């Protein structure tokens, strides 16, 4: 049996590794439009690099009057813990020689001004009571907050009331570097085939029941046959779904959202002063991906600061593809959904269009508001981020991700965006289990799964503090993420 994966980003490459580890007899081929793995949305500067575990993102803890909902935050945190288990396995296996090549400890902080202080205080109370967030700190003291995140506070008036939370064990993740190393391991050790420069145009069923993949490379048209097909090609998954003739294709439409950042290279000494990702509160009507944040990034041994994102409405499916591709991906049944979203979410559409025309001067004004004086401290330049395509499902806009698996378990695709890459191992494990339900009865697959994921049950992680801490501390040690307890014991420094 063979599995063909479209897209060599973090999702597709993770699925390929999991599939070959758990089912060595499976033939796995990845078809990738670009010239290398992880070169699309997974590439380092096409995303913010936050290891999303709900430490600092306010949109993961929605507020209804005086009630904070933490259910989404708990799920995402548990999923990220499962992801770290898989990455720790890759390190122990030697697939990744140095974990600092893709993951580095970076404080996760949230900062708000006076109108939102009560909300943040309530959020801290609810979250810190759970063992997932037991090390979260809260402060309204100017000097303490400044010690956590100096770049956001140094130019701010001491009279301005602020509140902040901090978790020391957050991470910065270079998903591009992670994907490259996984892809090399998959080819070298697992026998996965990867064909780069291969643009899939259409997939459809043959009379015999196989999937026929029609693609194009430099040599001309090519065709592949697949027993099982997974489409993880970012925004490119939408037109492939439309042409697949699957019965559920008319339920989904793509809503593209672009983004930009301000980027500044900094020295290692300056990075040591900050070493944080600091999230604020989004403007009313802004999409979740537009929550302002100031991030320390480490890419190819160089430190950077990244501020943004500045959202935009750009009708393209993927970075580097044109409007025509998006236009030709639409069908008549997509139009009502697009019109419905435009009418129901007009403030959002208006916001995205206005953000699209925001110039460098306005971007610096936003930076000045978030971190007074920081614009003059470093050499900032606007950079284009990756392209996200959100889901319109049954006419309603969704901001998450969704795995779709056909009833005959031969076709699967992943649609949507955040938290995306951060939870890719858990998401792809569930996808693999749905595509191959017999894995649960396979002795080798069961043993290997336990090796890959010592504890993949999200409910156990959420409701068994001792088991969670055991897993967390083990994988953090392997990945070089120091927990407060181990730091106190060893007397080490972060």
């Amino acid at each position: 049996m063979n599995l063909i994966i479209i897209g060599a980003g973090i999702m597709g490459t993770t699925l390929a590794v999991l599939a070959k580890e758990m089912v060595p007899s499976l033939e796995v081929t990845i078809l990738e439009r670009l010239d290398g793995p992880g070169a699309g949305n997974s590439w380092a500067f096409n995303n913010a690099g936050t290891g999303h575990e709900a430490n600092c993102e306010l949109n993961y803890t929605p507020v209804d009057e005086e009630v904070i909902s933490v259910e989404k935050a708990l799920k995402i945190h548990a999923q990220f813990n499962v992801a770290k288990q898989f990455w720790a396995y890759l390190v122990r296996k030697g697939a990744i020689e140095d974990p600092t090549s893709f993951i580095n400890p970076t404080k996760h902080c949230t900062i708000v001004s006076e109108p939102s202080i009560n909300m943040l205080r309530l959020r801290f109370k609810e979250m810190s009571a759970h063992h997932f967030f037991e090390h979260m700190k809260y402060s309204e003291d100017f000097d303490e907050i400044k010690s956590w995140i100096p770049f956001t506070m140094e130019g701010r008036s001491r009279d301005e009331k602020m509140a902040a939370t901090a978790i020391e064990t957050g991470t910065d993740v270079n998903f591009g570097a992670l994907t490259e190393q996984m892809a090399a391991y998959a080819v070298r050790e697992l026998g996965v085939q990867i064909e780069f420069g291969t643009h899939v145009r259409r997939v459809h069923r043959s009379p015999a029941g196989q999937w026929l993949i029609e693609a194009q490379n430099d040599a001309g048209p090519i065709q592949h046959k697949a027993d099982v097909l997974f489409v993880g090609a970012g925004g490119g998954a939408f037109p492939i779904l439309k042409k697949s003739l699957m019965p559920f294709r008319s339920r989904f439409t793509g809503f593209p959202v672009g983004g930009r950042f301000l980027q500044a290279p900094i020295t290692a000494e300056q990075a040591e002063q900050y070493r944080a990702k600091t999230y604020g509160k989004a403007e009313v009507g802004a999409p979740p991906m537009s929550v302002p944040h100031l991030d320390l990034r480490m890419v190819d041994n160089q430190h950077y600061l990244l501020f943004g994102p500045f959202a935009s409405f750009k009708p393209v499916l993927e970075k580097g593809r044109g409007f025509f591709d998006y236009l030709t991906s639409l069908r008549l049944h997509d139009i009502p959904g697009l019109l419905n979203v435009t009418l129901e979410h007009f403030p959002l559409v208006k916001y995205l269009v206005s953000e699209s025309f925001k110039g460098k001067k306005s971007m610096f004004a936003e930076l000045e508001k978030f971190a007074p004086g920081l614009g003059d401290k470093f050499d900032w330049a606007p950079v284009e981020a990756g392209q996200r395509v959100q889901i319109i499902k049954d006419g309603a806009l969704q901001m998450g991700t969704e795995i779709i698996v056909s009833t005959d378990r031969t076709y699967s695709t992943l649609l949507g965006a955040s938290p995306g890459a951060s939870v890719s191992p858990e998401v792809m494990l569930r996808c693999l289990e749905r595509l191959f339900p017999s894995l649960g009865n396979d002795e080798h697959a069961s043993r290997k799964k336990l090796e890959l994921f010592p504890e993949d049950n999200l409910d156990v992680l959420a409701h068994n503090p001792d088991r969670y801490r055991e897993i967390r501390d083990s994988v953090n040690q392997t990945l070089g993420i120091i927990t407060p307890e181990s730091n106190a014991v060893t007397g080490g420094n972060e």
Side-chain angles (χ1 to χ4, degrees):
M1 178 178 285
N2 77 325
L3 165 67
I4 288 186
I5 297 168
I6 300 176
I10 186 74
M11 290 290 181
T13 306
T14 296
L15 180 62
V17 172
L18 291 178
K20 285 295 289 183
E21 290 276 17
M22 295 177 69
V23 192
S25 62
L26 194 64
E27 296 180 16
V28 178
T29 302
I30 304 177
L31 307 178
E32 169 56 49
R33 179 178 65 90
L34 301 174
D35 294 330
N41 283 340
S42 303
W43 181 65
F45 288 123
N46 279 344
N47 58 77
T50 304
H52 285 294
E53 49 187 327
N55 293 329
C56 52
E57 305 91 337
L58 293 175
N59 52 301
Y60 293 157
T61 51
V63 182
D64 184 4
E65 294 183 354
E66 291 297 314
V67 178
I68 298 277
S69 175
V70 298
E71 285 75 16
K72 184 176 182 179
L74 294 179
K75 179 181 179 182
I76 290 172
H77 190 97
Q79 287 179 300
F80 189 73
N81 187 274
V82 172
K84 288 195 294 184
Q85 293 175 50
F86 175 60
W87 300 335
Y89 166 84
L90 294 175
V91 172
R92 292 193 304 271
K93 190 82 172 179
I96 295 175
E97 292 184 6
D98 179 9
T100 64
S101 64
F102 80 95
I103 189 167
N104 287 277
T106 309
K107 278 195 299 289
H108 282 186
C109 301
T110 308
I111 188 168
V112 299
S113 57
E114 188 169 11
S116 301
I117 288 177
N118 287 337
M119 177 273 297
L120 188 65
R121 189 186 297 123
L122 178 61
R123 181 181 186 268
F124 167 73
K125 181 180 177 181
E126 291 290 327
M127 294 183 73
S128 62
H130 195 279
H131 55 272
F132 280 178
F133 308 103
E134 59 191 354
H135 297 306
M136 181 181 282
K137 302 174 185 177
Y138 174 87
S139 182
E140 296 176 29
D141 181 80
F142 184 95
D143 291 322
E144 185 171 24
I145 297 173
K146 184 178 177 180
S147 72
W148 295 345
I149 42 177
F151 288 167
T152 64
M153 302 296 289
E154 288 173 348
R156 196 180 300 275
S157 169
R158 298 183 67 89
D159 296 330
E160 186 176 357
K161 292 185 178 180
M162 307 293 291
T165 58
I167 289 185
E168 299 284 347
T169 52
T171 54
D172 171 60
V173 185
N174 183 336
F175 293 107
L178 173 60
T179 305
E180 287 179 347
Q181 293 177 81
M182 278 199 300
Y185 169 70
V187 172
R188 182 182 68 248
E189 302 292 340
L190 303 178
V192 172
Q193 302 292 316
I194 306 182
E195 297 184 17
F196 296 111
T198 302
H199 190 176
V200 174
R201 302 291 188 180
R202 180 182 177 222
V203 303
H204 57 96
R205 297 294 289 271
S206 72
Q210 282 186 306
W211 283 98
L212 300 180
I213 298 103
E214 298 178 6
Q216 184 93 15
N217 63 17
D218 290 341
I222 57 172
Q223 189 177 86
H224 287 270
K225 295 181 180 180
D227 298 312
V228 180
L229 176 65
F230 172 77
V231 184
F238 284 91
I240 293 173
L241 174 62
K242 296 299 181 183
K243 295 176 183 178
S244 70
L245 301 182
M246 295 301 294
F248 47 75
R249 70 192 185 281
S250 60
R251 298 183 62 191
F252 298 92
T253 305
F255 183 81
V257 179
R260 293 171 293 161
F261 284 92
L262 286 174
Q263 180 195 92
I266 63 174
T267 66
E269 291 75 20
Q270 290 165 333
E272 279 300 320
Q273 293 179 45
Y274 184 65
R275 198 161 289 283
K277 291 179 181 289
T278 306
Y279 277 59
K281 195 171 185 298
E283 298 288 340
V284 176
M289 70 170 294
S290 297
V291 173
H293 46 99
L294 178 66
D295 300 333
L296 177 69
R297 300 298 316 275
M298 185 172 178
V299 178
D300 297 330
N301 295 315
Q302 169 65 51
H303 293 92
Y304 299 86
L305 285 179
L306 212 64
F307 176 74
F310 301 92
S312 63
F313 179 72
K314 184 178 292 186
V316 298
L317 294 165
E318 297 173 280
K319 193 174 179 179
R321 296 176 66 170
F323 169 66
F324 184 72
D325 278 349
Y326 176 63
L327 190 64
T328 56
S329 75
L330 297 175
R331 300 293 181 270
L332 286 176
H333 59 245
D334 294 326
I335 295 175
L338 288 168
L339 290 175
N340 183 62
V341 167
T342 302
L343 293 173
E344 285 198 7
H345 299 273
F346 181 73
L348 169 62
V349 175
K350 181 181 178 182
Y351 171 83
L352 292 174
V353 172
S354 65
E355 285 286 289
S356 302
F357 293 98
K358 182 171 284 186
K360 188 174 179 179
K361 184 177 179 180
S362 297
M363 295 169 76
F364 271 91
E366 291 293 321
L367 174 60
E368 179 68 19
K369 181 179 177 182
F370 192 88
L374 199 64
D376 296 327
K377 189 168 184 174
F378 301 111
D379 185 17
W380 297 90
V383 294
E384 195 80 16
Q387 183 75 3
R388 303 292 185 265
V389 181
Q390 306 288 359
I391 303 169
I392 299 175
K393 181 180 180 181
D394 299 329
L397 183 64
Q398 297 183 182
M399 291 297 180
T401 55
E402 183 163 347
I403 300 174
I404 304 166
V405 178
S406 63
T407 54
D408 64 1
R409 300 188 179 93
T410 65
Y411 181 99
S412 179
T413 188
L414 181 79
L415 303 177
S418 185
S422 294
V423 298
S424 50
E426 198 272 340
V427 171
M428 289 296 94
L429 174 62
R430 306 309 169 204
C431 180
L432 189 65
E433 290 173 335
R434 290 174 64 183
L435 286 172
F436 301 95
S438 62
L439 288 178
N441 301 319
D442 182 276
E443 186 176 346
H444 168 82
S446 298
R447 286 200 313 269
K448 179 55 72 170
K449 177 184 171 183
L450 190 60
E451 187 181 354
L452 292 161
F453 304 100
E455 185 56 79
D456 70 297
N457 189 310
L458 303 185
D459 287 334
V460 169
L461 293 169
H463 297 108
N464 187 330
D466 291 339
R467 180 61 171 158
Y468 164 76
R469 294 183 186 111
E470 175 190 4
I471 296 296
R472 177 199 64 193
D473 293 348
S474 174
V475 300
N476 281 357
Q477 183 177 13
T478 301
L479 296 174
I481 303 165
I482 305 300
T483 60
E485 293 97 333
S486 60
N487 194 45
V489 171
T490 62
N493 296 313
E494 288 193 61

